[in-house]
Amino acid sequence: MILGIGTDLANIERIAGTLERFGDRFKTRVFTQTERAKAERRADVAGTYAKRWAAKEACSKALGTGLAMGISWKDMAVRNIASGQPVMELTGWAAERLAAMTPPGHEAVVHVTLTDDHPWAQAFVVIEARPLAGPGVLDTAPASPQETPHQD
């Protein structure tokens, strides 16, 4: 079941201006070390920061709070798995909010997608509740590639 959906559109030029004006003060207030390292390695530094800004805004909307109620920018962090796919990690108050909105017997999964087309960066976040497999519950989830035996 879907617990929350959020989207945000960020202007890359606005983020570039903020980076120019406030520099490290802005970066360290809003982004985790992992997010900053990723952005600083990219050719389009401002675009990378703008996508992560949009993801944080979209996540806060999916949590049903916006950036209110004690949520911190760094409580929502984007990192990329080995395939390059972005994932959203929640800590602090954001993780507490996610736990509170997740029904008993379910696990929450946060899906995030990012895109940009200068001067815009966009993010969508969908929070899904999946039933936990347990006694008497048939696990119908597809096997991961690591769990599927190789057949020649």
Side-chain angles (χ1 to χ4, degrees):
M1 88 181 65
I2 302 299
L3 298 178
I5 299 172
T7 185
D8 192 67
L9 186 65
N11 185 287
I12 296 169
E13 293 171 3
R14 179 175 154 248
I15 296 296
T18 302
L19 289 167
E20 187 175 307
R21 184 172 176 197
F22 297 105
D24 286 342
R25 193 169 100 204
F26 170 68
K27 292 175 193 176
T28 57
R29 183 175 67 88
V30 175
F31 302 99
T32 65
Q33 178 58 42
T34 300
E35 290 172 311
R36 293 190 310 266
K38 173 79 171 183
E40 298 299 326
R41 286 192 309 265
R42 303 295 298 265
D44 184 9
V45 172
T48 302
Y49 278 121
K51 284 185 280 191
R52 278 147 181 77
W53 172 279
K56 292 168 185 275
E57 288 274 7
C59 185
S60 71
K61 293 171 185 174
L63 289 168
T65 63
L67 286 163
M69 301 171 60
I71 201 166
S72 165
W73 285 104
K74 291 190 206 177
D75 285 348
M76 303 165 290
V78 177
R79 70 174 180 83
N80 297 82
I81 59 176
S83 67
Q85 175 186 348
V87 294
M88 181 69 69
E89 295 179 339
L90 304 182
T91 58
W93 194 91
E96 292 172 18
R97 170 70 179 146
L98 181 63
M101 63 191 286
T102 304
H106 290 75
E107 66 175 338
V109 180
V110 181
H111 304 275
V112 61
T113 186
L114 309 172
T115 191
D116 64 332
D117 187 7
H118 197 84
W120 301 106
Q122 186 172 31
F124 285 95
V125 171
V126 175
I127 301 175
E128 171 191 14
R130 290 185 186 161
L132 294 171
V137 177
L138 180 61
D139 183 6
T140 58
S144 72
Q146 294 83 9
E147 296 170 350
T148 306
H150 178 66
Q151 298 178 1
D152 291 319

